[in-house]
Amino acid sequence: MKNSSFRYDINGLRAYAVILVVLFHFGITGFTAGFIGVDIFFVISGFLMTSIVVRSLEKGNFSVLDFYLSRGIRIVPALFVLCLTLLIIGWFFLLPTDYKALAKHSLSSINFFSNIIYWKESGYFSTDSHNKALLHTWSLSVEWQFYILFPIIVALIYKIKPSRKFLLYFFALGIISSLILSFIITNKSPSAGFFLLPTRAWELLFGGLIFFIPKDKVPYAKGIEVIGFLLIAISCYIFSISTLWPSYNAILPVLGTFLILLGHQQNSIFTKGKLFQWFGNNSYSI
């Protein structure tokens, strides 16, 4: 039985995100924009991390160490098992040069800097990228880098002035700055724009904005949720691997995810179903 604070909409959104990413990687027709599932995950993570950090600060029991520990317990074990399994299998089936590359990628994944390695090696959509078994871990590295910096910065800002309104100003500043960087860097270096935290931080911070909006102050919540899903569906239809990403294009699925979470619908036909909840519960492992 789920507790009263469990968000079925978030769990259902995780299902959509992981299904989109998996279908994209398997090259299924109609899902050439399935990579937007990562952007959906970023918005969700931003909202959840903001909720955890700010609420703990307001209660006066926030601990950076506890925050890191809780994230590590959730993320590291499954990632370690995956890397170890691939290394064992690779020992028997890969050529020495390929095994050396796998070992490097495993090390970078476990230490959460694989996004930097993949940025330096090649683009996410390049032909060579399909031979990299741990390519998908780049997004975990981005999230972990965000987890390292975010609680410290928020705690320092809150110490200056313990006010949600004051924090909100800095969130807005962070979103605008990161979004501008995303425009500039993605145009100059698509690979850097895709893989690096500075061009992705706005997506996580945009999710954090939802925390500052009281759910009882949101009008037409059901309609907002529907519009959110429409924006994600449109994104799947109009974008492809040739689209400059994230840049300004990612605003569409990010805004769609934002609206769905803002709608806060806990009995929605779009997210409450058992299949959606199963995929949501297992999204990280998948």
Side-chain angles (χ1 to χ4, degrees):
M1 189 175 198
K2 303 294 184 183
N3 61 53
S4 58
S5 63
F6 185 82
R7 291 280 301 262
Y8 289 97
D9 57 335
I10 291 177
N11 213 37
L13 260 179
R14 287 194 183 109
Y16 284 96
V18 74
I19 290 169
L20 285 171
V21 170
V22 169
L23 293 178
F24 166 75
H25 278 288
F26 276 97
I28 304 300
T29 303
F31 292 92
T32 55
F35 54 84
I36 69 169
V38 173
D39 303 272
I40 294 172
F41 275 123
F42 282 161
V43 178
I44 293 171
S45 291
F47 167 66
L48 293 175
M49 294 311 103
T50 301
S51 303
I52 291 169
V53 172
V54 177
R55 285 197 175 115
S56 295
L57 286 168
E58 289 175 340
K59 291 177 182 177
N61 61 0
F62 177 69
S63 167
V64 173
L65 184 61
D66 288 345
F67 177 84
Y68 291 159
L69 189 60
S70 65
R71 294 300 92 204
I73 290 171
R74 174 174 170 78
I75 293 172
V76 173
L79 180 60
F80 180 80
V81 170
L82 171 64
C83 291
L84 182 61
T85 301
L86 288 174
L87 287 170
I88 292 171
I89 295 172
W91 178 264
F92 297 100
F93 294 99
L94 294 179
L95 295 172
T97 53
D98 293 332
Y99 190 77
K100 185 178 179 180
L102 176 62
K104 182 179 74 170
H105 293 159
S106 298
L107 183 65
S108 67
S109 297
I110 289 293
N111 288 284
F112 301 107
F113 60 89
S114 62
N115 60 322
I116 297 172
I117 295 297
Y118 293 128
W119 157 52
K120 290 182 176 180
E121 289 183 349
S122 63
Y124 185 74
F125 303 117
S126 67
T127 303
D128 179 55
S129 68
H130 294 293
N131 297 320
K132 297 174 181 177
L134 290 167
L135 178 65
H136 59 290
T137 65
W138 75 268
S139 60
L140 277 179
S141 294
V142 169
E143 287 198 34
W144 190 259
Q145 290 158 19
F146 180 80
Y147 294 162
I148 290 173
L149 298 172
F150 178 73
I152 296 173
I153 294 171
V154 171
L156 289 173
I157 295 170
Y158 191 81
K159 191 170 184 179
I160 295 170
K161 186 175 182 180
S163 162
R164 285 193 182 189
K165 189 175 182 180
F166 190 61
L167 280 174
L168 187 56
Y169 290 143
F170 282 90
F171 268 70
L173 180 63
I175 290 168
I176 293 168
S177 301
S178 176
L179 194 51
I180 291 172
L181 280 176
S182 187
F183 296 160
I184 296 171
I185 294 175
T186 306
N187 276 283
K188 290 185 177 180
S189 174
S191 184
F194 190 92
F195 283 117
L196 301 183
L197 175 63
T199 56
R200 292 288 190 165
W202 69 272
E203 300 181 32
L204 292 128
L205 291 172
F206 203 74
L209 286 183
I210 302 164
F211 172 77
F212 297 96
I213 305 171
K215 62 182 180 180
D216 57 344
K217 301 292 184 182
V218 180
Y220 309 110
K222 289 184 179 180
I224 285 174
E225 182 204 36
V226 172
I227 293 171
F229 274 108
L230 281 174
L231 292 180
I232 290 176
I234 291 169
S235 300
C236 288
Y237 181 75
I238 66 174
F239 297 132
S240 68
I241 58 174
S242 62
T243 304
L244 203 60
W245 204 265
S247 190
Y248 56 84
N249 294 305
I251 292 174
L252 203 60
V254 166
L255 181 59
T257 307
F258 177 91
L259 292 176
I260 294 167
L261 294 178
L262 190 64
H264 200 275
Q265 297 301 296
Q266 298 309 292
N267 290 292
S268 171
I269 58 171
F270 298 111
T271 56
K272 185 69 182 291
K274 289 183 178 179
L275 189 60
F276 293 128
Q277 292 302 306
W278 184 87
F279 273 105
N281 286 331
N282 295 282
S283 58
Y284 177 57
S285 297
I286 294 172

